[in-house]
Amino acid sequence: MSRVIVSGANGFVGRATCRALIDAGHVITGLVRRPGGCIDGVTEWLELSADYADAMRAWPAGLEADCVVHLAARVHVMNDDTPDSDAAFRATNVDGTLRLAAAARQHGVGRFVFVSSIKAVAEQDNGMPLREDHRAQPEDAYGRSKRAAEDELVRFGDATGLDIVIARPPLVYGPRVRANFLRLMDVIWRGVPLPLGAVEARRSMVYVPNLADALVHCATDPGAARQCFHVADSGALTVAELAGALARHLGKPSRIFPIPASWLRMAGRLTGRSAQVDRLIGNLQVDTSHIRQMLAWQPPFSTDEGLAATADWYRSTHLSHK
């Protein structure tokens, strides 16, 4: 049994991670910025200071932990209108992360699991699935902040002895998903035709219980010490395959037709959405051989099982609001 602090415990990935840790017999404290939302069995630690400015001083008396799983972050958004995005992302994702790591080390925590993002490495794979040692080429403020946090944490760990473990997931989906994945289900549910039939690019994803299971290994397995892991489902779907599978599980017709990728790129340039189109039609496959070999990890659920559960949640939520 380990004692684990999970930041962002009442969020999309946080709730799933807490559930997996509790099911594995661990004791969980949820570090949150707003009260409520944690699953049963999690003791909440409410910390309201900006970017963990008071984390060292506000550490609860008597709170002991073996590991921190750091999920809380300023997240990537498609249309960020912050005047200085890099500074805003750095304040939370780099400076705030280092403050929490320092507080954890000061209070006797041995391991710090940082949940980064594949965007800290690249947006596309250029023909080869991305490995952990791929040259970093983050393309936006979010990706740059995640990569900078990784680098700063490794230096901090080398200097202090704190065991830093890094996990890099691609797109995370599952019940309660938001953003583009939810919008895709909305479009399919409404029967809107999708011009994705000619897109052959494959993109890795990870079902949230699969990611949570991997994070349990990262938090508790001695073999994870000072490692970086890419975490994803087995295999990778094309966008058309993803849309078709969701349509099937939603009980809707698959309204997918082919338009050449060059036309989609042109439409992206004309509408000012080139970056979104490039992400949609570019390959982004993730090599997960390292975590499989080092920790003997396998995703507990297939992608189709994950899509089925996500569609069931969407359908039940949609029908209950009718």
Side-chain angles (χ1 to χ4, degrees):
M1 180 187 74
S2 293
R3 300 158 300 178
V4 183
I5 297 170
V6 178
S7 73
N10 51 8
F12 173 49
V13 179
R15 289 171 59 89
T17 301
C18 290
R19 170 54 60 207
L21 284 163
I22 289 172
D23 287 348
H26 305 296
V27 176
I28 312 303
T29 298
L31 173 54
V32 297
R33 291 186 56 80
R34 65 182 188 280
C38 290
I39 66 170
D40 290 343
V42 173
T43 300
E44 286 189 3
W45 167 15
L46 185 63
E47 217 297 89
L48 298 178
S49 65
D51 302 325
Y52 299 114
D54 292 338
M56 186 79 74
R57 179 190 59 79
W59 192 278
L63 175 60
E64 297 181 349
D66 304 293
C67 177
V68 170
V69 177
H70 184 40
L71 285 159
R74 180 181 175 89
V75 298
H76 171 70
V77 292
M78 295 303 296
N79 298 302
D80 185 10
D81 58 0
T82 304
D84 188 344
S85 291
D86 279 284
F89 277 103
R90 183 174 182 87
T92 299
N93 296 350
V94 184
D95 300 339
T97 296
L98 265 291
R99 290 190 193 104
L100 183 59
R105 179 64 180 139
Q106 181 67 27
H107 289 86
V109 175
R111 177 174 288 184
F112 191 94
V113 178
F114 178 59
V115 184
S116 184
S117 166
I118 201 63
K119 288 170 71 66
V121 181
E123 297 281 1
Q124 298 188 33
D125 63 30
N126 295 322
M128 291 290 291
L130 297 176
R131 295 168 51 91
E132 287 81 358
D133 58 359
H134 187 92
R135 184 168 67 92
Q137 297 174 296
E139 295 184 10
D140 62 12
Y142 172 74
R144 288 189 291 270
S145 71
K146 284 292 192 177
R147 184 63 187 211
E150 291 181 12
D151 294 341
E152 294 286 347
L153 279 171
V154 170
R155 283 191 283 270
F156 181 78
D158 289 343
T160 65
L162 181 62
D163 177 8
I164 303 297
V165 181
I166 296 167
R168 293 184 187 138
L171 183 150
V172 185
Y173 70 97
R176 300 166 63 95
V177 70
R178 294 291 182 264
N180 286 342
F181 203 97
L182 179 59
R183 285 191 282 271
L184 176 60
M185 288 193 290
D186 287 338
V187 167
I188 293 169
W189 185 264
R190 296 197 307 267
V192 177
L194 292 168
L196 305 173
V199 178
E200 298 179 351
R202 295 186 177 274
R203 299 186 70 86
S204 293
M205 307 182 299
V206 61
Y207 180 39
V208 67
N210 287 343
L211 175 57
D213 184 77
L215 293 178
V216 174
H217 283 71
C218 289
T220 62
D221 193 321
R226 291 175 169 77
Q227 297 294 314
C228 175
F229 298 113
H230 287 177
V231 182
D233 291 353
S234 299
L237 302 179
T238 67
V239 180
E241 289 170 345
L242 170 61
L246 285 171
R248 172 166 50 86
H249 290 304
L250 287 168
K252 297 291 182 177
S254 180
R255 302 184 186 278
I256 303 167
F257 64 96
I259 282 183
S262 60
W263 292 17
L264 293 174
R265 288 192 178 93
M266 182 181 297
R269 288 193 295 271
L270 292 173
T271 60
R273 297 177 178 271
S274 291
Q276 292 93 317
V277 171
D278 287 344
R279 280 190 282 268
L280 183 67
I281 66 179
N283 276 296
L284 182 59
Q285 296 190 69
V286 172
D287 184 334
T288 60
S289 58
H290 186 51
I291 191 171
R292 293 169 185 265
Q293 292 165 5
M294 291 292 294
L295 306 185
W297 179 78
Q298 296 287 338
F301 301 95
S302 70
T303 299
D304 196 63
E305 288 173 322
L307 294 176
T310 307
D312 286 347
W313 162 80
Y314 179 93
R315 188 171 52 247
S316 64
T317 301
H318 181 86
L319 292 176
S320 68
H321 290 164
K322 274 194 149 184

